[in-house]
Amino acid sequence: MKQHSSDKIQILDVTLRDGEQTNGVSFSWQQKLNITKFLLCDLKVDRVEIASARVSPGEFEAVKKIIEWAKGEGLSEKIEILGFVDFEKTPDWMRDTGVKVLNLLTKGSLNHLTNQLRKSPEEHYSDIAKTVGFASEYGITTNVYLEDWSNGYLHSRDYVIDYLKNVSKLKIERFYLPDTLGVMSPDEVGAAIEDLVNLFPDLWFEFHGHNDYDLAVANCLAAVRSGAKGLHVAVNGLGERAGNSPLEAVITALHDKTSFRSGVVEKEITNASRLVEIFSGKRISDNRPIVGEDVFTQTAGIHADGDKKGNLYANLIMPERFGRSRVYALGKLAGKASITENLKQLGMVLSPEVEKKVLSRVIELGDQNKTVTKEDLPYIIADITGENLEASFQIEACTVTSGIGVKPTASLRVKFKNQVFESVGEGDGGYDAFMNALGKILAKLNISIPPLYDYEVRIPPGGNTNALVETVITWKRENDLQPIRTIGIDSDQQVAAIKATEKLLHIILG
C-alpha cells in the first residue's frame, strides 16, 4: 500500500461546476458567490472549482464577480475553472475573468480520443501543449483532467501510460483521475492509482469519483491509501446521474477510517449541506448519511434506554461533531426513556404516573400514523392534566389576501394576556404578509422568535382537494444545536402554517 510523505489530503470541491450538472440545478451568480465564500472561509476546503469556461455570458459575469471577491481575500489561487483543449480560446476567456487556475479537460481513454475527437494520441498531446502554452503566457496554472480515465486504465492502460509520459513534460501542476462513469470498484481504484504512483512518483494525482455503484466513498478511501494526494467532492453528492463523491461522507470516513486528514471543519458540514440544499432546490433524503434529518434520531425505545445507560447505541459519528444533537423519536416504538430524554431537552420533569400516561398517548398517536414531535409533548401533557396551554397567546382572526396581480396582504388580530392587538402587513406571499403583520405585534410586545429555517407542506395523495394539509415549520437560531419543529394541520395550507406559527409562540411563551 502506497503511503504519502504527508497525511494531509487536498480537497477540491466541485459542487458549483460538476454538481451543477445535476438535472434541474442552475446556480445564480449570487448563489455561487455565497457558496464559494462558505466553502473556503467556513468549511475550509482547499480549493473550489466554480464553473466551466466559455459556457454563457452569465457564467462569465459570475466568475468575474467571484474572482473580484477572491482577490480581495487573497484566495485567487483557490478558485479553479474547467477549460477545454481549444488553444487560445479558454486562456483568453480566463484572462478576461481573472481566473488563475485552469483544469484542462483532456482525454484519458483511447476510446474517447479515437471515437469522439477522432485524433491520434500524438495530435492530442500537441493540442494540449499548445493550450498549456497559451495559458502559461497569461500566468495561468494548469491542471489536467484525464476524462474517462477509469475506462481508459481498464481497457487501454498503454495509452494512459503514454499520455502521462508525454503530458507530464508540460507545465502541469496536478493530474486529475476521474472515474467519469462511476465504473470502478475500490480494488480497481487502489490498484490503478498505486500502479501510476509507482511509475510516476513525482506526479501529483487526485481522484475524482462518481457514485453510479454507490461506491464513491469507498473508492475515495482506496485512492488515498494508494497514493492519491487529493480528492474531489460535491456537497450532498450533487452531480450528473448518481452524483459525485459526497463531501459529507467522504470527509467523515477519511477522518475516521484512515490515518489521513483534511482541513475541512466538520462542524460546518451540516450548514454547507443546508445551504446547497436550499440554493439547488434538491432536497436530500432524511436518512442521508451525516446530514439527513433522521440520521441522529433514535426511534426504538430500547435504543434510547441504551443511550441513557452509557451511549450503548452510539458510534464515532456523534451528532455534536457536525453541530447537531441526538433526537429521540416519539411514536408507537417509543419507550419510557424516549419520553424522559425529550422532556429533559424541554427542561421538564414529570411524575412517573404522568410520564406513563404521556407515553401511552404517544404510542396511541403513533398507531394512528400521526406525527409526534418533542414540541407536541407540552400539549399532550396539558391535555392529560387539564391545563389550558393556549391561554397566553391566541390568534383570534386572520385574513390573508393573495393572488395573481395583487399585492399579498394580511390582517391579524391576536390576544395576549387578555389584551387584543391588531395589525396589517404586506409581503411577497400570503404567509410572508402574515409574518410581517405578526412581527409588528411581537415588536410591540418585545417578543422575539427564531428565524424560519425550513417550511414543508405535506399533502396526502389521491387528489382530494379538501383533504387536511400538514405544514411543518422548522425554526432555528444560528447557534442552536437542535431546531424547533412545529406542525399545523388544516384543510387550508396558509391556515395550517399560521397554526404552526401560533404553536411556536405557545412554546416560547409557555
Side-chain angles (χ1 to χ4, degrees):
M1 184 179 294
K2 188 74 177 179
Q3 293 294 323
H4 300 187
S5 58
S6 169
D7 285 340
K8 173 75 188 303
I9 299 297
Q10 287 266 313
I11 301 297
L12 173 65
D13 185 280
V14 299
T15 307
L16 296 175
R17 199 279 301 172
D18 213 7
E20 200 176 34
Q21 293 183 14
T22 307
N23 183 36
V25 173
S26 178
F27 297 112
S28 68
W29 74 261
Q30 295 96 333
Q31 291 171 338
K32 284 201 170 193
L33 178 58
N34 278 314
I35 292 173
T36 301
K37 287 180 178 179
F38 192 91
L39 293 175
L40 291 176
C41 299
D42 296 282
L43 192 61
K44 303 290 186 183
V45 300
D46 296 287
R47 293 130 46 213
V48 179
E49 189 178 64
I50 63 171
S52 297
R54 302 176 54 224
V55 169
S56 69
E59 198 80 324
F60 178 85
E61 292 302 322
V63 172
K64 283 184 66 175
K65 292 180 189 302
I66 292 172
I67 288 298
E68 182 180 341
W69 166 80
K71 283 182 179 178
E73 299 293 325
L75 299 173
S76 297
E77 302 302 319
K78 293 179 177 288
I79 305 295
E80 304 183 6
I81 291 289
L82 180 80
F84 308 97
V85 182
D86 52 16
F87 308 129
E88 76 279 5
K89 291 180 181 178
T90 286
D92 281 349
W93 188 93
M94 295 180 67
R95 178 192 58 189
D96 292 342
T97 61
V99 184
K100 291 296 183 183
V101 183
L102 164 63
N103 297 338
L104 190 62
L105 188 67
T106 67
K107 292 302 182 183
S109 73
L110 192 60
N111 181 41
H112 270 217
L113 177 64
T114 57
N115 291 310
Q116 189 172 46
L117 292 188
R118 302 187 185 281
K119 291 188 175 184
S120 69
E122 292 71 27
E123 289 173 315
H124 192 39
Y125 306 153
S126 175
D127 292 346
I128 293 171
K130 291 175 184 176
T131 304
V132 172
F134 281 111
S136 182
E137 286 180 18
Y138 298 152
I140 293 170
T141 300
T142 301
N143 308 309
V144 288
Y145 273 108
L146 282 74
E147 186 182 16
D148 199 39
W149 162 80
S150 48
N151 274 314
Y153 184 86
L154 292 172
H155 305 297
S156 53
R157 177 179 175 275
D158 289 345
Y159 165 73
V160 174
I161 304 303
D162 187 58
Y163 171 103
L164 290 171
K165 285 180 180 177
N166 283 274
V167 177
S168 63
K169 298 173 184 177
L170 306 175
K171 286 187 175 181
I172 304 298
E173 189 82 8
R174 299 182 177 95
F175 291 81
Y176 296 164
L177 307 177
D179 185 10
T180 304
L181 298 177
V183 298
M184 276 188 159
S185 69
D187 288 345
E188 290 169 325
V189 169
I193 291 180
E194 185 168 5
D195 181 26
L196 297 185
V197 169
N198 287 333
L199 289 172
F200 303 95
D202 296 329
L203 299 188
W204 180 292
F205 292 111
E206 296 189 354
F207 178 69
H208 178 109
H210 282 260
N211 206 30
D212 295 72
Y213 280 101
D214 206 13
L215 291 172
V217 176
N219 285 344
C220 283
L221 299 189
V224 297
R225 285 171 176 151
S226 297
K229 296 179 180 178
L231 295 173
H232 298 186
V233 296
V235 178
N236 297 339
L238 285 186
E240 198 169 25
R241 304 184 315 278
N244 289 343
S245 305
L247 178 147
E248 56 279 2
V250 168
I251 296 302
T252 304
L254 182 74
H255 292 173
D256 288 0
K257 296 299 179 181
T258 76
S259 62
F260 302 108
R261 290 294 173 265
S262 74
V264 172
V265 179
E266 289 185 340
K267 273 193 176 293
E268 297 295 342
I269 286 177
T270 301
N271 290 331
S273 172
R274 298 298 182 259
L275 181 68
V276 171
E277 182 181 29
I278 291 168
F279 285 167
S280 68
K282 291 289 185 180
R283 297 296 296 259
I284 61 172
S285 62
D286 288 341
N287 66 342
R288 186 176 187 87
I290 313 302
V291 294
E293 184 69 30
D294 293 344
V295 296
F296 298 117
T297 299
Q298 301 283 39
T299 301
I302 190 173
H303 293 168
D305 182 64
D307 285 350
K308 183 180 177 182
K309 294 175 179 175
N311 280 337
L312 301 183
Y313 292 90
N315 58 24
L316 286 177
I317 308 176
M318 299 296 285
E320 292 77 14
R321 284 175 61 180
F322 311 100
R324 300 179 64 182
S325 62
R326 180 98 36 217
V327 175
Y328 296 93
L330 298 171
K332 64 182 180 181
L333 299 180
K336 179 177 179 296
S338 303
I339 301 296
T340 302
E341 290 300 318
N342 278 281
L343 291 172
K344 186 188 299 181
Q345 291 178 16
L346 290 170
M348 300 176 70
V349 178
L350 299 180
S351 68
E353 294 78 14
V354 174
E355 195 169 291
K356 186 176 180 180
K357 291 179 181 178
V358 171
L359 175 59
S360 296
R361 181 65 59 84
V362 168
I363 293 173
E364 178 186 338
L365 291 169
D367 275 333
Q368 297 171 14
N369 202 28
K370 298 285 180 63
T371 302
V372 183
T373 70
K374 176 180 66 179
E375 286 72 31
D376 290 313
L377 285 178
Y379 294 89
I380 294 172
I381 295 166
D383 184 49
I384 289 171
T385 59
E387 297 176 7
N388 183 5
L389 193 64
E390 300 182 359
S392 63
F393 192 100
Q394 291 179 295
I395 296 177
E396 292 195 329
C398 182
T399 302
V400 177
T401 303
S402 63
I404 298 174
V406 297
K407 182 72 174 178
T409 61
S411 176
L412 177 64
R413 184 174 77 247
V414 307
K415 188 175 182 180
F416 180 63
K417 294 183 177 178
N418 295 319
Q419 285 187 283
V420 175
F421 300 87
E422 294 184 347
S423 180
V424 295
E426 294 184 342
D428 293 328
Y431 182 68
D432 186 45
F434 159 75
M435 287 298 289
N436 288 334
L438 178 64
K440 294 177 183 179
I441 295 174
L442 296 180
K444 291 179 184 178
L445 299 173
N446 199 27
I447 296 172
S448 64
I449 61 175
L452 190 151
Y453 183 71
D454 195 14
Y455 182 110
E456 181 180 359
V457 177
R458 299 171 178 171
I459 301 174
N464 188 358
T465 56
N466 66 350
L468 289 176
V469 174
E470 185 178 66
T471 301
V472 184
I473 304 181
T474 305
W475 316 82
K476 185 176 184 292
R477 292 188 176 90
E478 184 175 347
N479 296 320
D480 290 346
L481 284 180
Q482 185 63 35
I484 298 173
R485 294 175 73 230
T486 57
I487 299 173
I489 299 174
D490 196 89
S491 57
D492 184 287
Q493 178 181 325
Q494 288 186 348
V495 174
I498 291 169
K499 287 181 177 180
T501 307
E502 183 183 35
K503 187 178 287 188
L504 171 74
L505 288 160
H506 296 161
I507 292 167
I508 291 173
L509 300 172

